Amino acid sequence: MNARLMHRHRDFAAGRDLQGHERLLLQDLELNTLFRTMANGDEFLFDVARTVLLSGLENDVDTVLYRQAVLKDSLKHPTVVRTLYDLAMEAIDAKRKHWLGVFSRYPSAILHGSIELLQLFLGVLRKLRVVAEQQTGRFESEGFSAFFAMLQTELSDDYLAEIEEHLRNLKFPEGVLMSAELGRGNQGTNYILRKPHRRRQTWLARLLGKGPPAYTFRIADRDEAGHRALSELRDRGIDPAANALAQSSDHILGFFQTLRAELAFYLGCLNLHDRLTAKGEPLCFPKPAPAGTRRYRVSGLYDVCLALHMERRVVGNTVDADGKSLVIITGANQGGKSSFLRGIGLAQVMMQAGMFVPAESFDAELCTGLFSHYKREEDATMKKGKLDEELARLSEIVDRLAPNSMLLLNESFAATNEREGSEIAKQVVHALLEQGVKIFYVTHLYEFAHGFFERKTQDTLFLRAERRADGTRTFRLVEGEPEETTYGEDLYRKIFGDEPDATPAVGVFAGDRHPAGSPLGRRDG
């Protein structure tokens, strides 16, 4: 039996350790916020969400659409999904609480424990089939339709009755019948368990009838050695049956464990959907395009992790980057650039997991890998400078990049001066574009951004954080030429200016450029 709710032709494999670039994504995109919401306090749901969204980045359109259809059914019938999950948990808990035979090395104990476990499993399987019979025709996705059909086909009344009959026989109510041969030194060998031949007779015929010819012997009640020898003979006979039954119980347990893991992902999606819809945030199912098509057109895209932290709704952005391989994002400090970049990464991860995305509409290509390179704080051990650390981290990412990967750069190479940072950024971006990598780059490096703008290439889009004349940030991004200033003076006035509640503070604005003559000078301190 197979669940097949995550993949059409194979089961979902949970529990893989994160790679280095996946840990960077976890930090840069603040994915733990998303996982905690999906888990809703359940550690297993947290682990499954992390595995699917980070380790299971799907770049196959059919698989993404397959999961989307299953998730749509789950959103229509959340109670059924939770019931199926509870049944899987009931079977797993039954094994955990009641079956100890697996810890024994004696065939009789293994057989007894396997019989008890399979009897418990049979009860849960019957409940699963009832759910399948009730829900057939109500679910539209290929995944759930095939799952319910499988349950009804493989768990028929005749099949379940046959299993129960086998389990009754394996309790050996009439004793163990087996055959053996004499080997070297008159040692027993070739022990084979035999099925007893039952003859249906009346009680009178059984009482008066002549039994089959047989030789018998009795062991004295206090003959411990004799009883031990007889028990060993019995264990030799039932050993193959005990092993076969233990393997059968493991197979059924594996089915329940896989079903639980696959349903856990959709249960996490239900938890996230409930939380976001309660806040009034828009959600949509994306339209995935094959990797390499350079398709990217979104409306109302927002940072889902930011939305989960805030009480009010988050500002969304609309971007048409069809045919673009490079998107350079500049503009005012604290204008929403980093949040927008994080929103891009989160939406991409969610789309390629087969989920809904935080947007009003989302039409984008899949990527063969998602990577992030964000600025970091100074190395506390003082073993590396900031630029050295950035370049070392980028080198590790480049080793993993493949054509049609997506790279998110946030303030990369801002640890050095303007000229050096711009030159490094230019060389790196050119090299990656030649290898077919798609790049979203938030930067304050004006020489770098303006240099690309002057080239007027068709595959580059320039976005700028919007700022009103009075300095107000709208947190929207608009198409526009990179500006030499990022309006750090606005922040200076907010902190040190004439606002009555302003609290004086001392600090710098990393990576900022300021208008000539401003209190902070042309470069940050």
Side-chain angles (χ1 to χ4, degrees):
M1 295 189 297
N2 303 101
R4 304 285 169 81
L5 295 176
M6 295 289 285
H7 300 274
R8 184 179 283 107
H9 301 300
R10 62 183 175 89
D11 288 330
F12 166 67
R16 185 176 74 82
D17 293 334
L18 296 182
Q19 303 297 314
H21 71 283
E22 293 166 347
R23 294 191 184 94
L24 292 178
L25 279 177
L26 186 70
Q27 176 181 351
D28 294 338
L29 302 184
E30 299 182 11
L31 279 162
N32 277 335
T33 299
L34 186 68
F35 300 155
R36 282 192 293 268
T37 304
M38 295 178 70
N40 196 25
D42 189 312
E43 184 177 347
F44 182 76
L45 265 61
F46 184 97
D47 291 339
V48 169
R50 187 183 67 169
T51 299
V52 175
L53 270 74
L54 284 178
S55 305
L57 201 65
E58 293 294 336
N59 56 22
D60 176 65
V61 173
D62 288 340
T63 300
V64 172
L65 294 176
Y66 182 85
R67 292 186 188 175
Q68 282 188 11
V70 173
L71 179 53
K72 289 176 183 177
D73 266 345
S74 301
L75 292 171
K76 291 178 183 177
H77 309 283
T79 302
V80 177
V81 174
R82 297 182 190 277
T83 298
L84 292 172
Y85 184 82
D86 290 342
L87 288 174
M89 281 299 303
E90 180 181 339
I92 295 170
D93 287 341
K95 183 264 181 183
R96 187 182 299 123
K97 294 177 181 178
H98 301 291
W99 191 51
L100 300 176
V102 69
F103 300 111
S104 176
R105 61 185 180 90
Y106 298 105
S108 56
I110 295 174
L111 181 67
H112 177 72
S114 298
I115 290 173
E116 284 191 349
L117 182 60
L118 284 173
Q119 287 176 331
L120 292 169
F121 284 168
L122 280 179
V124 181
L125 290 173
R126 288 186 185 278
K127 294 177 184 179
L128 275 179
R129 197 193 67 179
V130 170
V131 174
E133 291 172 345
Q134 293 173 344
Q135 301 302 325
T136 297
R138 296 184 61 197
F139 283 68
E140 301 175 359
S141 65
E142 179 184 347
F144 268 118
S145 297
F147 175 68
F148 290 144
M150 178 273 297
L151 290 177
Q152 294 179 78
T153 300
E154 297 195 17
L155 302 178
S156 64
D157 287 332
D158 292 341
Y159 176 72
L160 294 176
E162 182 180 356
I163 292 178
E164 288 182 334
E165 177 67 18
H166 286 312
L167 292 179
R168 281 194 295 269
N169 292 336
L170 286 170
K171 291 180 179 180
F172 304 113
E174 299 177 2
V176 176
L177 178 63
M178 63 182 182
S179 64
E181 298 176 358
L182 287 177
R184 181 177 298 180
N186 287 336
Q187 293 292 322
T189 184
N190 197 22
Y191 290 90
I192 300 176
L193 185 65
R194 301 292 182 178
K195 183 177 181 180
H197 300 286
R198 296 183 179 179
R199 296 182 298 171
R200 296 184 177 277
Q201 296 176 318
T202 65
W203 65 271
L204 186 61
R206 292 197 298 272
L207 180 64
L208 301 178
K210 186 178 180 180
Y215 296 98
T216 62
F217 64 91
R218 293 182 180 276
I219 299 177
D221 293 340
R222 296 185 179 181
D223 186 357
E224 294 182 3
H227 283 287
R228 190 182 305 113
L230 188 62
S231 176
E232 290 176 356
L233 286 174
R234 185 179 186 275
D235 280 350
R236 290 185 182 183
I238 67 174
D239 184 59
N243 289 333
L245 208 61
Q247 291 175 11
S248 298
S249 61
D250 287 342
H251 172 74
I252 298 176
L253 177 63
F255 163 73
F256 283 120
Q257 290 172 333
T258 300
L259 178 62
R260 179 199 181 194
E262 297 193 0
L263 288 172
F265 168 67
Y266 296 106
L267 197 60
C269 292
L270 292 179
N271 292 336
L272 178 63
H273 188 273
D274 290 346
R275 177 77 176 274
L276 292 172
T277 52
K279 293 173 62 66
E281 296 287 3
L283 296 169
C284 72
F285 278 93
K287 297 178 182 178
T293 56
R294 290 302 179 259
R295 185 75 172 162
Y296 203 87
R297 183 178 296 173
V298 301
S299 175
L301 174 66
Y302 61 94
D303 177 354
V304 64
C305 291
L306 181 62
L308 292 171
H309 280 304
M310 297 182 64
E311 294 184 3
R312 56 186 178 86
R313 289 187 57 183
V314 178
V315 175
N317 277 284
T318 297
V319 175
D320 184 354
D322 276 356
K324 311 298 183 183
S325 296
L326 173 63
V327 178
I328 296 177
I329 306 162
T330 60
N333 274 323
Q334 296 189 355
K337 302 186 299 298
S338 295
S339 295
F340 173 71
L341 187 68
R342 190 164 53 243
I344 289 172
L346 288 166
Q348 192 74 25
V349 167
M350 294 170 71
M351 176 179 68
Q352 296 197 213
M355 297 174 62
F356 46 76
V357 297
E360 295 169 1
S361 65
F362 196 92
D363 186 358
E365 65 175 323
L366 303 179
C367 63
T368 56
L370 180 63
F371 302 85
S372 61
H373 186 269
Y374 281 42
K375 64 180 181 180
R376 294 284 187 265
E377 296 300 324
E378 193 79 52
D379 180 14
T381 64
M382 301 301 291
K383 293 181 179 179
K384 286 184 180 180
K386 291 186 68 174
L387 182 60
D388 288 340
E389 187 277 333
E390 283 191 53
L391 294 175
R393 187 156 35 93
L394 181 64
S395 178
E396 294 176 1
I397 292 173
V398 169
D399 289 340
R400 293 181 173 273
L401 285 173
N404 298 316
S405 293
M406 180 183 290
L407 177 61
L408 309 178
L409 299 172
N410 189 12
E411 303 290 359
S412 299
F413 319 119
T416 184
N417 61 63
E418 171 78 18
R419 176 176 294 180
E420 289 181 354
S422 295
E423 184 62 26
I424 294 172
K426 182 181 72 172
Q427 298 293 341
V428 168
V429 169
H430 274 303
L432 294 178
L433 291 176
E434 289 177 359
Q435 297 301 313
V437 177
K438 187 171 185 175
I439 302 172
F440 289 84
Y441 194 169
V442 170
T443 182
H444 289 305
L445 297 173
Y446 173 75
E447 290 183 18
F448 160 77
H450 194 262
F452 268 87
F453 183 81
E454 288 183 332
R455 293 175 58 207
K456 306 294 183 183
T457 56
Q458 297 298 315
D459 65 344
T460 305
L461 176 67
F462 296 88
L463 299 177
R464 193 173 65 210
E466 189 176 48
R467 171 189 178 275
R468 292 175 180 162
D470 61 356
T472 303
R473 273 61 165 166
T474 65
F475 305 108
R476 297 188 185 278
L477 275 76
V478 296
E479 290 190 38
E481 178 181 357
E483 294 182 333
E484 190 170 2
T485 176
T486 54
Y487 298 99
E489 189 175 26
D490 294 338
L491 303 182
Y492 179 88
R493 288 174 176 170
K494 183 176 181 180
I495 297 173
F496 300 104
D498 299 326
E499 294 184 6
D501 296 329
T503 301
V506 177
V508 298
F509 305 100
D512 193 14
R513 292 178 58 90
H514 309 283
S518 73
L520 296 183
R522 184 170 175 78
R523 294 281 299 168
D524 56 315

